[in-house]
Amino acid sequence: MSTGRPHLPWWRILEMNLGFLGLQFSFGLQQGNMGPIYSYLGADEAALPILSLAGPVTGLLIQPLIGAMSDRTQSRWGRRTPYFVAGAVLCAAGLLAMPFSSSLLMAVSLLWLLDAGNNITMEPYRAYVSDRLDPDQRQFGFLSQSAFTGLAQMLAYLTPSLLVALGMSKDWVDDHNIPYTVHVVFIFGAVLSLSTILWSVLRVPELPLGTEEQARIAAAPRGAAATLAEIGEAIVEMPRAMRKLGVMSLFQWFGMYGYWTYVTYSIGRTVYATADAQSPAFHSAVLTNGEVAAFYNAVAFVVAFAMVPLVRRLGPGIVHALCLTLGGIGMIALPHIADKALLFLPAAGVGFAWGSIMGNPYAILASSIPAERTGVYMGIFNMMIVIPMMLFSILMSSLDLGFVTLGIGLYGKLLGGDPGQMLTLCGVALILAALSVLWVKEGRRA
């Protein structure tokens, strides 16, 4: 049955997802640099997850609201485009200011601004693919987003090392101990994020809404109360496949968030024998993690396209379970390696997992939700990403504010403050996620 959407050539699908390159470059900068920035400014390792709560909390609050609002939006620019542009501007502002942070409070505040911008853009971008593409092209659409994620984050992680190779000193720091390589890469990220998102929405604009869809939006109740009611109703009526995906997401994102937070500190101890964030050896650990992360994101970029025929044959669920298992094994192996060159072997497994994470779950989801609620369900699905991150922060972190201590502090109490033990736990979580996704029969081929 025809959906009325034109069949796009593959290069147009890539062009419409180019904005994901800039958006995910921003996320890559956060993953690779926020922990070290906090450490440069004096933060304790045990406090890192709770200091990074901006991402999970803004994702929890913003994405479902933006999803529901964009489903009901009518404007001359489309229903998703206004959110793309507003989020891109906020994101660029946060990136420009972040390396000039003079205190922990300033860095944390700017992270809230940056994550708000990222989340305002992210959710409508997912819905944009479902809106714009026929069902038989959505798999390629979501996997192309996954590929751009791998490419963007590869560049975000690798750029500081490239700057050092071109002559910048890794130990050249400002008055607040933040390396100038961080300054350069964040400014570049701001320009890339804004320009690629604008390119996508101008080159591949949204389709005009049909008469029936316009009437449905016009008849829908307005205001914040109506939006919240829509989110609540959608949660109650959530499709079965989406509920099952929630179990997978719990383990998957618990593991990934913990890995991103502590992998640099694990490499610092095993390869460079340091836990001192102000030392030249730690600067080397940050650059090494960037190179390892660039490699696994390059693997993710290739895997995202290479798995397309396999997904068509087996279904996204089976393929995703296999990739998560490889990622879990890689995380478990990484803390036992003291040779920098050998770190890239387990990183390949992480790349398989990451390439699948950013595409296959959305392919399962898109085929199981009603089209008129695409935005709100994509937003709710993001709640299944950020809630495990918040859970991780509460369980693992310990931040002493003097009058109260935030977090349970299992990083110190259970894992002995050992980032290698943390990576092992994260690997086990990914393997549990792989077992969970096999429960989602909607992701298999009949």
Side-chain angles (χ1 to χ4, degrees):
M1 184 178 68
S2 174
T3 61
R5 300 181 181 91
H7 194 277
L8 295 182
W10 64 267
W11 63 87
R12 278 295 189 196
I13 296 176
L14 294 181
E15 197 169 23
M16 72 180 286
N17 285 307
L18 183 64
F20 237 65
L21 182 73
L23 181 64
Q24 292 296 334
F25 191 94
S26 171
F27 275 114
L29 291 180
Q30 290 177 239
Q31 291 165 10
N33 293 280
M34 286 313 304
I37 286 173
Y38 287 151
S39 294
Y40 299 145
L41 295 172
D44 185 81
E45 269 183 36
L48 295 177
I50 212 159
L51 289 172
S52 300
L53 268 177
V57 173
T58 56
L60 181 67
L61 298 177
I62 289 176
Q63 286 213 28
L65 287 172
I66 294 297
M69 289 167 62
S70 69
D71 280 345
R72 298 163 180 259
T73 295
Q74 292 190 80
S75 78
R76 58 182 295 187
W77 302 283
R79 57 178 173 175
R80 316 294 183 189
T81 300
Y83 303 98
F84 292 160
V85 176
V89 170
L90 286 177
C91 176
L95 288 171
L96 284 172
M98 182 62 74
F100 298 97
S101 297
S102 58
S103 66
L104 269 177
L105 179 60
M106 182 177 176
V108 170
S109 300
L110 286 172
L111 184 61
W112 281 85
L113 174 68
L114 176 55
D115 270 316
N118 281 335
N119 280 293
I120 288 170
T121 302
M122 173 71 80
E123 191 286 327
Y125 224 127
R126 298 290 191 189
Y128 173 49
V129 170
S130 290
D131 292 345
R132 196 66 172 78
L133 299 179
D134 260 329
D136 64 346
Q137 290 193 302
R138 287 177 187 164
Q139 181 74 51
F140 181 72
F142 286 119
L143 285 176
S144 67
Q145 289 190 349
S146 179
F148 276 126
T149 296
L151 177 61
Q153 297 198 6
M154 177 188 72
L155 294 173
Y157 278 110
L158 191 58
T159 302
S161 291
L162 293 176
L163 292 173
V164 171
L166 291 172
M168 286 190 72
S169 171
K170 66 180 174 63
D171 301 319
W172 182 27
V173 300
D174 64 16
D175 292 340
H176 307 290
N177 300 310
I178 298 175
Y180 280 103
T181 53
V182 174
H183 285 250
V184 174
V185 75
F186 268 71
I187 292 170
F188 176 73
V191 175
L192 185 69
S193 178
L194 185 59
S195 61
T196 55
I197 290 170
L198 291 177
W199 180 275
S200 287
V201 299
L202 292 174
R203 292 287 293 169
V204 190
E206 296 183 64
L207 295 173
L209 293 175
T211 304
E212 183 178 332
E213 184 68 8
Q214 291 182 38
R216 185 191 68 79
I217 293 174
R222 302 284 177 176
T227 300
L228 292 173
E230 167 68 9
I231 294 170
E233 184 180 328
I235 291 173
V236 171
E237 299 174 3
M238 188 183 301
R240 183 180 179 188
M242 188 172 176
R243 294 181 186 276
K244 291 181 177 180
L245 284 172
V247 178
M248 175 214 71
S249 291
L250 175 65
F251 295 114
Q252 174 179 282
W253 291 106
F254 187 98
M256 291 305 302
Y257 192 58
Y259 174 83
W260 290 327
T261 303
Y262 284 104
V263 62
T264 298
Y265 300 87
S266 175
I267 291 172
R269 283 166 170 76
T270 58
V271 179
Y272 295 99
T274 186
D276 180 6
Q278 311 301 331
S279 67
F282 185 77
H283 294 161
S284 296
V286 174
L287 291 178
T288 295
N289 177 55
E291 293 161 15
V292 169
F295 173 75
Y296 84 65
N297 277 286
V299 171
F301 175 75
V302 174
V303 164
F305 287 118
M307 72 173 65
V308 171
L310 192 60
V311 166
R312 287 175 179 163
R313 183 168 183 175
L314 300 177
I318 297 292
V319 175
H320 190 48
L322 292 172
C323 291
L324 287 175
T325 300
L326 291 173
I329 293 171
M331 289 183 185
I332 292 170
L334 195 145
H336 302 285
I337 296 174
D339 186 331
K340 174 183 173 179
L342 295 179
L343 293 173
F344 295 89
L345 293 177
V350 179
F352 271 84
W354 187 230
S356 182
I357 283 170
M358 295 305 292
N360 284 317
Y362 295 96
I364 300 170
L365 179 65
S367 64
S368 65
I369 57 178
E372 67 274 9
R373 279 183 164 175
T374 298
V376 68
Y377 274 127
M378 288 293 181
I380 292 170
F381 190 59
N382 187 69
M383 295 169 66
M384 299 179 183
I385 297 173
V386 300
I387 288 174
M389 294 179 178
M390 294 174 64
L391 182 64
F392 178 92
S393 297
I394 293 168
L395 290 176
M396 296 298 164
S397 277
S398 178
L399 178 61
D400 187 359
L401 298 178
F403 59 93
V404 66
T405 299
L406 301 179
I408 295 175
L410 294 184
Y411 177 67
K413 297 175 183 176
L414 182 65
L415 303 179
D418 183 354
Q421 293 291 328
M422 176 64 75
L423 262 59
T424 300
L425 177 62
C426 293
V428 171
L430 253 64
I431 292 172
L432 292 174
L435 296 174
S436 299
V437 79
L438 294 175
W439 182 42
V440 188
K441 295 181 180 179
E442 292 83 351
R444 307 184 193 184
R445 287 293 180 218

